[in-house]
Structures are given as structure tokens and as C-alpha cells.
Amino acid sequence: MAGIPDQFIDDLLARVDIVELISSRLAMKKAGANYHALCPFHSEKTPSFTVSPTKQFYHCFGCGAHGTAIRFLMEYDRMSFPEAVETLARQVGMEMPREARSTPNPEATPLYDLLDRAAQAYRTWLRRHGDKDRAVEYLRRRGLSGDVAARYGIGFAPPGWDNLLRELGNEKELVRAGLAIRKEETGSVYDRFRDRIMFPIRDRRGRTVGFGGRVLDQGEPKYLNSPETPVFHKGRELYGLHECLQAQRYPDHMLVVEGYMDVVALAQQGLPNAVATLGTATTTDQVERLFRTTRNVVFCFDGDEAGRQAAWRALENTLPAMRDDRQARFLFLPDGEDPDSLVRQLGADGFRAQVGDALSLSQFLLKELSRDADVQTVDGRARLLERAATTVRRVPPGVFRDLLVDEVARYARVDRVHMERAVGGDGTARPAEDARRPARSAQPQRRTSVRVAVALLLQYPELAARGGEPERFRDLQQPGAPLLGQLLELLQEQPHLTAGAVLERFRGHPHEEALAKLAAWDHLVPEDGVEAEFRGAMARLDALLDEQRLQYLNQQAENGRMTEDEQAEWLDLLRRRKGTTLDTD
């Protein structure tokens, strides 16, 4: 889908009633100006999920979940951003802009039906084909019941070159679906999957998009996957995700394993929250898809060198997806074990205990970085710092990145400033004491002028007209000042925006999390004192700007480089400074 114009999103959110949307899915009760409910995104007994009709925004003070009507549909109904926008637009009778309309892929539509028919044929052959006994016996040896095999749609591709061709016909479409192969030399067509246990790969909507085939006896490759097709992209899909979500709408954590049989074997033991990558390294797209399902992802790998290399690639591709409310861990299996064998050996509870002992992302990161860097020596610490900086740069700005910088700095025995310099900060990093704030704290630790101003603007956007020139905050050396300038500029141009609409404008922006927390912050300002509080905050920030400029002019004077204009400005600032009490935040 092409980019959706900001103006369309603004108009959409102005028409959508977030209370009506969420109350159609959750039981909510009015509490003052807001509505409360049990949070749908984590387990709780006391409601901490709040919906504000004035801000058109929801926030959970327990787990930190927050957002607009669009984000709610994405998280609760697991829609993509374009799908959520289209759904809401239909509900309020808005027509999607021409450039943003999704158009069905004419090449893809017939393939879904063909792939579903192939999956049905494979399931039938597992029950009825003359060679079925070998396949059924294999599954029994692996400890699978008929119920689990049916849940995952497991089938069997019999020996022979044209079973599927004769069953379904249509050579051209079978080749396009990745189910058959055409020889370039002769043009003849034959079945891709032969004498294999078949695992259908389903997308989020339950449609079959591809297959993985496991050889029954000795042979290579052990696993054969569908090729890339108009409906199947290995870097986006995950085997078992659809089945997992059928069993658990919001799993506490997701386990990423390497093999299809591992996924099914864990489900057989009562652990249905496992998925497998499709013969390639874990991609950032796959990780993002997992984090839309759960906030805790555990990667499970062999404990040998190959497993650690695969885990490191998974870590590198996970870092860009890390946000403040997400957690990734790494579980390494004993030599000679895989999840299938280990869960049969330990049982479900024993395996859960192993998962509970998995390394955190930061622990695995530091362990790998220090493998050839001796932190007892200056050279070793410098080497670790250099390697860590390259890795940390992949993490989006936010609390998680700040804490990771702290952790690496402590481990390398260097000052945080040195670590930030090595990372090449982008100006968004928070001060060290702010970074140590718990990631899900609903209340900012300090009541600064910037925070008060931003929080008031989010609730009362009409205040922006009294905020003066936004550009002046670009160079103010205070945490959050550039964000305040951006917010002032936006709301001076469009004072009708709600807090929810503002957050959509900042989707994916480094300041998105900070804005969300301030949107939910109780600034404790009574309504009749809002304008005075806002003017006071802006006056204190202007005083800080004057003080900052005065320090610069003092340096110019000390160095003998002050111009006549600067001298006049300096004297004016000194006069204005008298009697002014500066806010030290």
C-alpha cells in the first residue's frame, strides 16, 4: 500500500470514537473523565487499562501498552497498519485516498486456493496412500498424536514424480505456487515434494502459503522448503504462528526454534507457543511480527559454535525491533539435544525451567563481545567498546538503548560518556539518571518545565498559539527541548489535533515513547490554572535560553572576540537577568 497522507489519518482519528471501538471488545467502566478495563495485553486482576475520550488515547499503567484506535486494532486484532486504517475508514464511512488503496494482487489470489487444495491432498495421502504406514510410523516414533498432527495439518507427499500433478492438474499454476518444478532442458514438470512428511506453512489469516517437507529416510536436504512465490516470502512468515495464536491469543512468551518437528513436538507436550524460521536466519520482519504477538521472545539454539553464530545473527536482526516494553532472551541447548529430544527428556515443566534460565539479550551480547576481548586490560576494553558501539547503534533510541549503553559501559569499566561517544549519539539519549528509570514507569521522575509544557500541549493543543517561536528551542540544551519545538510547530499549524492524532504523527519517531508517557502523565494542573502553568513553564525555558546565551557571550568577552552587537545583547541580557529566578531543571 502506498503511503497514507497525514491529513487522512488526522481526519480519520477525529471521526473515530476510541471508547466505542474498545468497548466493543472489552468490558469498560466509566471512572471520572476516563474509562477503565482489565488490560487485554497482560494478565491482571485490578484494572490498570485507561481510555481517554478527550485525548482519544489508551494507556495501561501496568504493562505500558498505549496508543490510538489504529494501534489498538494493530495490537488487539493483529492487523498491519494499512489494514487497521482501512478497517476504521470503512467503519466511519471514509473513502481511502486513491494513492493509498490496497489492490489485490491478481497473481496471488488463485494460488491460495491451489495451496489449500494441495494441503488437503497431502493430509488425505497421510491417511490413505499405500505408503502411508511409513509416514504414520515415523510420526508415532516422534511421539505425535493424531490430534496434534491434525491441528498442524501435517500430511504426506508419496514417492513418485507426478502425484500432485495428477491430483490437481494445471502445471503452470503448480509451478507458480512452488509445488512443481519445470526442467529447463526439456520443459517437463514434476512434483517438488516427494516421499516427505509435509508441514503446511500458514499466514496470520490461516491461509496456506507454502510447505516444508521433511525427508522420511536418509537423504538430502533433510528439510525442503517452498521457494519464494507471490504469496510466500521466507523472511516474513513463521511456521506455527497461526496455530499458536489459535491456542493462545496473547501468549506470555514465544519460543523461536529451528525445526518444524521441534514446534510440533513442543505442542505435543503442552507447549504450543513455539514457532520456527523457514530455513533462513531470523529476520527483523519476523521479529516485529513476533513482538506484535507477545512482549517476550526466547530464541532457542544448539549450544555449539554453529548455534552461537546463528544466535548472534538473530540478535543483530532483533536489535532494530527492540523497544522499551520488549524483551528478547537466548536459550542454548546441551550438546546433542534439540527441543524435541529435550522436552521428551525433561517434560513440559522441566523445559519451562530451562526457558526461564535463558540469557537476556544484554547478557548474551556482552558474553559474545568479550569472547576475544580481555576486559582486564585497557586494550581489551577498548576492543570490546568498539565492537559494542557498532552493535548498539542498531537499537532505536529509547530507554532500552540507554540501559544497554549503561550496561556495556559498566562491563567495560568506562564512563558512560565514553560509551555514548563511541556509539555516536544522535542527541536523543537521556541523562544517565533518567535512563535508569524503570521502562514501564507511568510517571516521569522529575517535573521539569519541558515535560509540563509537552503534557499540557497534548491535552490542550490550543495553548500552542501562546507558545511563541518554536525554532528557539532547537538549540536549548535541555532534555526534550527539540521535541517541544517540534510539537509547538505542529500544533500551531493544526491546533485541532488530539493527543492520539499527535502520537500517530510521531509513529516510529525516536520521541514516540516519550510522548506516549507524557500523554498518560497526570500533570496535576487544575483546569483553571492550565494557561498560567503553561506560560510559567515557557517563561522558565526562555530564561534558560537567556542564561545559555549569556554564558556564550561571557566566553566571547573573556576571549576578546565580542562584537559591538554582541556587547549590546550581553548588556540587555544582564539587565533582564536581574530579578529572574531560573528553573534549574
Side-chain angles (χ1 to χ4, degrees):
M1 176 180 285
I4 303 174
D6 288 338
Q7 188 60 53
F8 182 82
I9 298 295
D10 296 342
D11 294 343
L12 176 65
L13 291 176
R15 296 193 194 188
V16 170
D17 183 350
I18 193 171
V19 173
E20 182 180 336
L21 174 74
I22 296 179
S23 63
S24 68
R25 291 161 171 80
L26 305 180
M28 294 202 300
K29 292 184 178 179
K30 200 169 190 306
N34 298 325
Y35 292 79
H36 291 175
L38 291 173
C39 180
F41 305 119
H42 80 287
S43 298
E44 64 176 7
K45 296 181 179 178
T46 303
S48 59
F49 184 83
T50 301
V51 183
S52 168
T54 56
K55 298 178 184 178
Q56 286 295 298
F57 174 81
Y58 69 85
H59 182 86
C60 176
F61 291 94
C63 70
H66 61 263
T68 63
I70 296 174
R71 174 67 69 85
F72 184 82
L73 283 185
M74 292 174 65
E75 297 288 340
Y76 189 83
D77 288 355
R78 295 198 177 88
M79 296 182 179
S80 66
F81 178 75
E83 287 172 337
V85 172
E86 284 192 287
T87 299
L88 292 174
R90 283 196 302 270
Q91 289 178 3
V92 298
M94 290 180 67
E95 185 175 348
M96 292 291 289
R98 183 179 300 276
E99 66 273 21
R101 292 175 191 163
S102 59
T103 55
N105 181 353
E107 293 186 356
T109 304
L111 298 187
Y112 290 117
D113 178 62
L114 186 65
L115 287 158
D116 278 335
R117 289 167 57 206
Q120 179 60 49
Y122 292 138
R123 289 194 295 271
T124 299
W125 285 328
L126 179 62
R127 298 192 303 269
R128 300 179 186 169
H129 195 274
D131 292 279
K132 71 178 181 64
D133 291 344
R134 291 171 54 245
V136 171
E137 180 57 30
Y138 171 82
L139 295 175
R140 285 175 178 162
R141 284 202 314 271
R142 302 299 294 263
L144 296 189
S145 67
D147 288 342
V148 169
R151 187 193 315 166
Y152 284 83
I154 295 174
F156 173 57
W161 295 91
D162 61 355
N163 291 291
L164 201 60
L165 282 167
R166 286 188 286 108
E167 181 73 18
L168 302 182
N170 202 334
E171 292 184 356
K172 181 180 177 181
E173 290 298 284
L174 285 171
V175 171
R176 283 205 320 119
L179 295 168
I181 299 173
R182 187 182 300 279
K183 286 186 178 180
E184 291 186 7
E185 319 83 65
T186 63
S188 60
V189 175
Y190 59 94
D191 290 353
R192 178 181 296 274
F193 299 101
R194 305 177 306 280
D195 202 19
R196 289 177 180 269
I197 297 291
M198 298 299 293
F199 300 87
I201 301 164
R202 295 161 172 160
D203 66 8
R204 180 176 54 84
R205 293 166 59 178
R207 298 174 300 188
T208 302
V209 294
F211 291 91
R214 205 264 188 214
V215 69
L216 267 179
D217 302 312
Q218 299 301 317
E220 293 294 336
K222 182 177 178 181
Y223 279 99
L224 179 65
N225 294 311
S226 291
E228 296 278 319
T229 72
V231 300
F232 180 57
H233 307 282
K234 294 179 184 178
R236 297 180 195 169
E237 303 297 340
L238 289 154
Y239 176 73
L241 181 58
H242 170 72
E243 290 79 5
C244 169
L245 297 180
Q246 294 296 106
Q248 299 174 285
R249 185 173 179 84
Y250 293 103
D252 176 66
H253 69 274
M254 295 290 289
L255 189 67
V256 183
V257 296
E258 295 186 86
Y260 301 139
M261 276 302 306
D262 294 324
V263 171
V264 180
L266 288 168
Q268 179 69 54
Q269 297 295 326
L271 301 169
N273 54 329
V275 296
T277 53
L278 307 176
T280 61
T282 308
T283 67
T284 302
D285 279 348
Q286 290 170 328
V287 175
E288 285 285 6
R289 183 159 294 192
L290 287 168
F291 277 132
R292 287 203 294 270
T293 300
T294 182
R295 286 179 168 78
N296 300 289
V297 175
V298 183
F299 295 95
C300 184
F301 292 97
D302 293 341
D304 58 13
E305 185 61 27
R308 290 192 169 270
Q309 289 178 4
W312 182 256
R313 288 194 297 272
L315 179 144
E316 289 183 314
N317 289 330
T318 297
L319 290 175
M322 292 301 293
R323 301 287 187 274
D324 299 346
D325 59 346
R326 297 175 173 182
Q327 183 180 51
R329 292 180 291 150
F330 293 82
L331 171 64
F332 293 97
L333 303 175
D335 288 344
E337 300 286 358
D338 57 27
D340 181 3
S341 63
L342 193 60
V343 73
R344 282 192 283 175
Q345 175 187 327
L346 300 179
D349 290 340
F351 193 87
R352 288 191 188 97
Q354 293 280 320
V355 172
D357 292 335
L359 296 174
S360 69
L361 184 147
S362 60
Q363 288 174 323
F364 176 53
L365 172 68
L366 292 173
K367 191 171 183 179
E368 287 300 297
L369 290 177
S370 60
R371 288 178 75 182
D372 57 352
D374 184 1
V375 294
Q376 304 300 323
T377 67
V378 173
D379 291 348
R381 292 201 295 274
R383 178 179 175 82
L384 184 144
L385 202 63
E386 181 181 357
R387 295 180 63 197
T390 302
T391 305
V392 173
R393 285 191 198 106
R394 299 175 64 89
V395 183
V399 173
F400 177 78
R401 176 167 166 168
D402 289 341
L403 293 174
L404 194 57
V405 167
D406 277 345
E407 190 76 13
V408 174
R410 279 196 297 270
Y411 191 81
R413 302 178 191 175
V414 299
D415 189 270
R416 176 188 169 88
V417 175
H418 294 295
M419 181 61 195
E420 285 182 325
R421 191 176 299 139
V423 171
D426 54 10
T428 60
R430 286 176 275 271
E433 66 272 15
D434 207 25
R436 295 190 188 100
R437 173 164 40 88
R440 293 178 179 173
S441 172
Q443 184 92 346
Q445 283 185 320
R446 299 178 59 218
R447 188 181 178 81
T448 70
S449 295
V450 170
R451 285 184 179 132
V452 169
V454 170
L456 291 176
L457 282 170
L458 287 170
Q459 187 164 348
Y460 305 96
E462 65 274 11
L463 291 173
R466 303 170 181 80
E469 175 54 52
E471 188 70 17
R472 71 190 191 277
F473 292 118
R474 183 182 62 183
D475 299 321
L476 177 59
Q477 296 172 6
Q478 290 291 306
L483 171 61
L484 173 59
Q486 291 180 57
L487 190 58
L488 270 176
E489 183 177 6
L490 174 63
L491 292 177
Q492 284 176 359
E493 293 176 357
Q494 302 186 63
H496 62 281
L497 296 181
T498 63
V502 170
L503 288 176
E504 283 300 334
R505 286 295 187 95
F506 281 83
R507 175 183 291 277
H509 189 280
H511 295 310
E512 179 184 2
E513 290 295 323
L515 271 176
K517 289 171 184 174
L518 288 173
W521 182 38
D522 184 0
H523 46 67
L524 302 177
V525 179
E527 193 161 356
D528 59 359
V530 165
E531 184 169 345
E533 184 75 21
F534 181 73
R535 289 184 184 276
M538 301 303 282
R540 291 190 293 273
L541 292 172
D542 283 332
L544 285 170
L545 273 169
D546 288 348
E547 182 70 10
Q548 187 174 299
R549 180 63 177 170
L550 191 57
Q551 290 176 2
Y552 167 76
L553 293 174
N554 285 338
Q555 291 177 352
Q556 292 291 89
E558 291 173 5
N559 296 329
R561 294 198 296 265
M562 184 180 285
T563 65
E564 289 186 10
D565 288 344
E566 287 178 335
Q567 186 174 21
E569 182 186 4
W570 179 60
L571 292 171
D572 182 54
L573 285 172
L574 286 174
R575 283 192 295 270
R576 285 158 53 185
R577 185 184 189 189
K578 290 182 179 179
T580 301
T581 302
L582 288 177
D583 184 349
T584 58
D585 58 343

